Amino acid sequence: MKSRLSVVILGGLSSLTAVPMWAHHAFAAEFDITKPVTLRGTVTQMEWVNPHAWIHVDVKGADGATVNWMVEGGSPNILLRRGFTKQSLLPGTEIVVEGFLAKNGENRANGANITFKDGRRLFLGSSSGTDAAGAAKPEK
């Protein structure tokens, strides 16, 4: 009986270690590499959260309606190492985001690059030297 209880407890504890992995995903699970997107808009919010930072951008459509998009970036630590600061994307900042659309049709994208009005560019992807889709990291 005691060994059976130990097995149940160990099984339960081992299942808890898998929970953090559910929160993280592969690029191909949520985004479509065959559907690049360019979004021109104004930052409404920047979320510095793990495992991926999120940029909220108001984008004006062809019909004149404004739609809020969520753009996924790398982790906050990676973005800081790539040159981002907490002041880089304040609300009201005008940007152009290049990325890839979400597979589920929501107004979400995985960001590859951001270009500012003055021409500066920041890379949004992972720390591996490539963006999420595997393209080479662009020059700043």
Side-chain angles (χ1 to χ4, degrees):
M1 180 69 170
K2 197 173 193 178
S3 66
R4 187 175 194 174
L5 179 60
S6 296
V7 169
V8 170
I9 290 172
L10 286 175
L13 290 175
S14 67
S15 69
L16 292 176
T17 62
V19 171
M21 293 187 70
W22 293 338
H24 197 261
H25 59 268
F27 171 88
E30 290 193 46
F31 302 98
D32 191 339
I33 194 169
T34 67
K35 294 185 180 174
V37 65
T38 300
L39 304 169
R40 296 177 191 278
T42 305
V43 174
T44 59
Q45 180 184 4
M46 173 75 178
E47 292 183 83
W48 291 89
V49 295
N50 279 317
H52 298 280
W54 288 92
I55 305 162
H56 299 263
V57 182
D58 276 347
V59 177
K60 192 172 283 190
D63 62 358
T66 300
V67 177
N68 191 260
W69 282 76
M70 290 179 64
V71 178
E72 180 183 85
S75 72
N77 186 33
I78 288 169
L79 294 181
L80 290 168
R81 286 188 277 155
R82 295 224 181 263
F84 280 83
T85 68
K86 297 247 180 173
Q87 304 301 309
S88 294
L89 293 171
L90 295 174
T93 304
E94 293 180 36
I95 59 174
V96 176
V97 179
E98 299 168 66
F100 300 91
L101 291 175
K103 287 182 173 180
N104 65 7
E106 292 181 2
N107 294 329
R108 287 187 316 116
N110 181 278
N113 301 297
I114 290 180
T115 304
F116 293 89
K117 280 178 69 171
D118 64 5
R120 284 180 305 124
R121 290 180 69 165
L122 287 175
F123 178 61
L124 280 172
S126 70
S127 64
S128 64
T130 63
D131 65 18
K137 179 178 132 183
E139 297 298 317
K140 284 187 183 177

